Amino acid sequence: MRYPISIQTFATIRNGNYVYVDKTDLVYRLAQEHVCFLSRPRRFGKSLLISTLDAYFSGRRELFRGLKMEALEDKWDVYPVFRIDFAKGRFDLAGELEKVLEEYVSSWETIYGKSDIYTTLSSRFQYVLEQAAARTGHQAVILIDEYDKPLLDVLEEDLENVNRSILKDFYGTFKAADASLRFVLLTGVTKFSQITVFSGFNQPNDISMDSRYDAICGITEDELYSVFGEAISEMASKLNYTVETMKAELKKQYDGYHFSNALLDVYNPFSIINAFNKMDIDNYWYKSGTPTYLVKLLEGHHVNMQKLTSRPYESQYFVDYRADAENPLAMLYQSGYLTIKGYDRHYMEYTLDYPNVEVRKGFVALMAEANKCCS
């Protein structure tokens, strides 16, 4: 098997004959929505999802041959796709967010036209969307990856309010240009309070805890055993385990994420792919990088994880993100250090805990780094 290490482009995976866990039935279902928001921890496949949607809405039928999508779609219309990736920007620099957005809008204006009447980024973007729909005969598609990075980069800094205001105005375009939009998806790690970022447009359909989309990012146990059965056997042989013991070790180390009250087990895809590529168990997720915003927020604070996980919560306490080191529940849940472990339907309350061994070890290392900064 060829494993797509650090590859987040759907076309590269398909054309390069890399192993691919077929999520295209869920992609097709998602594509029938209108304006959506999805929160998942880092390294969970959000960028690959964006790339897959880009390929679908761009009518690249050849990339979906042999996949579930092939039996679901028969039209393959080509839509104008507007894709924004905030992953590579340095938004702790003054003016960087405006610069990045200006580059995107200017590049689209060279394709769909520019009007001197519109001078702000949001009004220019709205004009581009309307022109794209008029010229192509198809409504526009907007895909935004890591929508929250311009805010996470500057948490508790003066630039936070500046960047927040810029994003609020820019995202407000979606409401003004609604008639020109076929589909909008924003992805990120955190769901900032809707009154501060999303209030400029009609509230997106938050699918982060929608059980229909539990498996849209990550790997389920059924997918693990059906797609990676050969790799599991090979790994078991190398480590001198039985296949069943190998499955148990993988589950203990990388499973345990639940994204809704359906409690569907989801494995960390980044860790699983790396484990099979190297044929070894290791803490791949944490070693891939520590979220700097978490380190900054937790500096000098001791998080009592036992206290946090010893009581039930209504979803409102961990779904909407608030940058609060004194009450870090939402921050730890959305960053992947906590996940849903139980649900009481009568009281509509959730219990949270570490997903797995890898994350437990990663949290200890995270707290050590946060406290080292202040020692």
Side-chain angles (χ1 to χ4, degrees), residues 49 92 172 224 276 298 340 349:
L49 172 62
D92 55 343
L224 180 68
F276 289 144
L298 296 178
I340 297 168
E349 291 180 331

Side-chain angles (χ1 to χ4, degrees), residues 338-364:
L338 289 175
T339 195
I340 297 168
K341 287 296 181 180
Y343 180 65
D344 187 320
R345 292 193 176 275
H346 180 72
Y347 292 102
M348 294 187 291
E349 291 180 331
Y350 297 81
T351 52
L352 308 177
D353 209 338
Y354 296 110
N356 51 49
V357 170
E358 178 184 36
V359 174
R360 184 187 297 271
K361 291 179 179 178
F363 180 75
V364 172

Side-chain angles (χ1 to χ4, degrees), residues 179-191:
S180 301
L181 299 180
R182 162 66 176 81
F183 178 79
V184 177
L185 176 66
L186 302 96
T187 71
V189 172
T190 56
K191 180 187 176 185

Side-chain angles (χ1 to χ4, degrees), residues 10 14 20-33 49 52-53 56-57 63-73 76 182-183 207 211-218 220 222-223 227 264:
F10 180 66
R14 295 293 289 159
Y20 175 70
V21 178
D22 189 356
K23 303 283 187 180
T24 59
D25 55 333
L26 296 177
V27 171
Y28 180 80
R29 174 185 288 172
L30 176 59
Q32 311 314 308
E33 306 278 359
L49 172 62
T52 308
L53 284 161
Y56 168 68
F57 280 114
L63 296 177
F64 294 87
R65 290 198 179 98
L67 300 180
K68 297 172 185 176
M69 179 75 81
E70 192 173 37
L72 296 170
E73 182 60 80
W76 293 100
R182 162 66 176 81
F183 178 79
I207 63 170
S211 61
R212 296 175 300 167
Y213 298 107
D214 278 347
I216 200 164
C217 293
T220 68
D222 286 344
E223 291 168 340
V227 177
L264 176 70

Side-chain angles (χ1 to χ4, degrees), residues 25-301:
D25 55 333
L26 296 177
V27 171
Y28 180 80
R29 174 185 288 172
L30 176 59
Q32 311 314 308
E33 306 278 359
H34 186 45
V35 180
C36 298
F37 168 76
L38 175 68
S39 169
R40 285 293 184 268
R42 64 188 181 87
R43 306 289 189 184
F44 239 85
K46 299 186 296 295
S47 296
L48 177 57
L49 172 62
I50 290 285
S51 179
T52 308
L53 284 161
D54 189 347
Y56 168 68
F57 280 114
S58 297
R60 301 192 63 182
R61 183 174 188 170
E62 74 281 2
L63 296 177
F64 294 87
R65 290 198 179 98
L67 300 180
K68 297 172 185 176
M69 179 75 81
E70 192 173 37
L72 296 170
E73 182 60 80
D74 55 8
K75 292 183 180 179
W76 293 100
D77 290 330
V78 178
Y79 295 87
V81 177
F82 298 83
R83 184 171 170 181
I84 299 176
D85 183 1
F86 286 123
K88 299 176 183 178
R90 278 284 310 277
F91 300 106
D92 55 343
L93 302 175
E96 182 68 12
L97 179 55
E98 298 100 312
K99 177 184 174 183
V100 169
L101 291 175
E102 173 66 36
E103 289 174 350
Y104 275 117
V105 173
S106 294
S107 68
W108 297 327
E109 286 174 333
T110 63
I111 301 172
Y112 298 108
K114 180 179 181 179
S115 171
D116 293 335
I117 298 175
Y118 305 105
T119 58
T120 66
L121 279 169
S122 57
S123 64
R124 288 164 58 197
F125 186 32
Q126 179 183 342
Y127 179 77
V128 164
L129 293 172
E130 291 170 349
Q131 288 298 300
R135 293 188 182 193
T136 66
H138 291 288
Q139 293 169 300
V141 170
I142 302 174
L143 305 172
I144 301 182
D145 201 6
E146 296 202 34
Y147 94 101
D148 50 352
K149 191 172 185 294
L151 300 180
L152 293 176
D153 279 358
V154 291
L155 280 182
E156 299 188 325
E157 298 178 12
D158 292 340
L159 268 179
E160 181 182 354
N161 287 332
V162 174
N163 286 358
R164 190 187 304 272
S165 178
I166 293 169
L167 289 178
K168 180 180 176 181
D169 288 343
F170 191 74
Y171 294 152
T173 305
F174 305 155
K175 181 176 182 179
D178 185 67
S180 301
L181 299 180
R182 162 66 176 81
F183 178 79
V184 177
L185 176 66
L186 302 96
T187 71
V189 172
T190 56
K191 180 187 176 185
F192 281 89
S193 178
Q194 293 190 359
I195 61 171
T196 59
V197 181
F198 294 155
S199 58
F201 67 100
N202 295 333
Q203 297 302 321
N205 177 18
D206 185 357
I207 63 170
S208 305
M209 293 183 66
D210 187 329
S211 61
R212 296 175 300 167
Y213 298 107
D214 278 347
I216 200 164
C217 293
I219 298 173
T220 68
E221 196 155 86
D222 286 344
E223 291 168 340
L224 180 68
Y225 295 163
S226 62
V227 177
F228 299 99
E230 181 181 333
I232 294 172
S233 297
E234 182 182 347
M235 195 173 185
S237 177
K238 183 191 175 201
L239 300 180
N240 200 26
Y241 288 151
T242 66
V243 169
E244 290 307 310
T245 299
M246 189 73 258
K247 289 179 178 179
E249 288 297 311
L250 291 169
K251 187 176 185 67
K252 180 176 68 176
Q253 186 76 6
Y254 304 127
D255 189 23
Y257 288 93
H258 306 107
F259 297 112
S260 78
N261 56 30
L263 298 177
L264 176 70
D265 283 338
V266 180
Y267 288 70
N268 184 316
F270 180 82
S271 296
I272 283 291
I273 293 295
N274 276 276
F276 289 144
N277 186 57
K278 297 182 179 178
M279 284 289 134
D280 200 10
I281 299 286
D282 204 346
N283 300 317
Y284 299 105
W285 182 71
Y286 180 75
K287 287 183 176 180
S288 68
T290 305
T292 55
Y293 65 89
L294 267 177
V295 174
K296 285 194 296 184
L297 283 174
L298 296 178
E299 280 179 0
H301 290 81

